[in-house]
Amino acid sequence: MPPLPPLRPARPDDIPALTTLWYVGWHEAHAAYTPAALTALRTEEDFARRLVHLLPDTIMAGEDSALGFCMIRDDEIYQLYVAPEARSNGLAARLLTDGERRLAVRGVGRARLDVGVENHRAARFYARQGWEETGSGEGVVDSSAGPFRLQLRFFAKQVALTP
């Protein structure tokens, strides 16, 4: 197995590649069970717009292309996506661990993340990484039309800095 690519902060010139990865990854993981009204709002332009504001809290893998990224926001792992060609090699776990570390540096003790109610693959991944499912219910996700209510599964994990 080739070595994992180094992680690095995302830069403004990464926005096109990150936008494509987020758009394709979101539609692959969520479009089949997400209400059509939200899916219609999930355009490449929408992801690019959101990325501009989230870039300072985004770490990515890949130098010439975006192989994966992890965004944090407040006390949560906000977004985590890995390109199909970079899966099953530990990259997602590495990005997640880095996101957990960044949250701990911010002083977060109990981190959270939300998963689409039918995104079983993601739920299994987070459980394997030590995240505890704490319930499910209606949550609010960002959209270009404003807050959008959606059924979500909620996860939490204690994060701490390790010496």
Side-chain angles (χ1 to χ4, degrees):
M1 185 179 316
L4 292 175
L7 303 184
R8 64 174 179 83
R11 303 179 298 249
D13 60 325
D14 295 315
I15 289 176
L18 290 168
T19 296
T20 299
L21 175 57
W22 196 3
Y23 173 82
V24 170
W26 188 92
H27 282 271
E28 174 193 14
H30 303 288
Y33 65 84
T34 300
L38 180 59
T39 300
L41 295 171
R42 294 300 195 221
T43 63
E44 287 192 71
E45 294 78 17
D46 179 55
F47 288 116
R49 175 191 59 80
R50 292 166 65 200
L51 262 165
V52 169
H53 302 290
L54 296 163
L55 206 60
D57 291 320
T58 303
I59 294 293
M60 64 178 286
E63 203 48 57
D64 299 326
S65 63
L67 296 175
F69 68 86
C70 179
M71 291 175 190
I72 61 172
R73 183 178 72 173
D74 301 324
D75 64 345
E76 72 177 316
I77 298 291
Y78 180 58
Q79 302 292 331
L80 175 68
Y81 285 90
V82 174
E85 66 272 17
R87 293 181 187 156
S88 299
N89 63 4
L91 180 58
R94 191 161 156 233
L95 283 162
L96 179 60
T97 298
D98 180 78
E100 292 169 2
R101 180 195 58 76
R102 290 184 288 136
L103 289 172
V105 166
R106 285 187 174 177
V108 172
R110 187 162 173 84
R112 64 184 185 87
L113 62 85
D114 301 336
V115 173
V117 73
E118 292 187 47
N119 191 345
H120 304 298
R121 184 178 79 187
R124 286 189 304 269
F125 167 75
Y126 291 120
R128 283 192 311 270
Q129 303 305 313
W131 286 77
E132 173 189 358
E133 188 164 355
T134 60
S136 62
E138 189 174 81
V140 177
V141 298
D142 298 329
S143 84
S144 56
F148 193 99
R149 298 200 171 284
L150 189 66
Q151 291 298 308
L152 299 170
R153 296 165 77 170
F154 308 117
F155 287 77
K157 182 178 182 180
Q158 287 299 127
V159 294
L161 292 175
T162 54

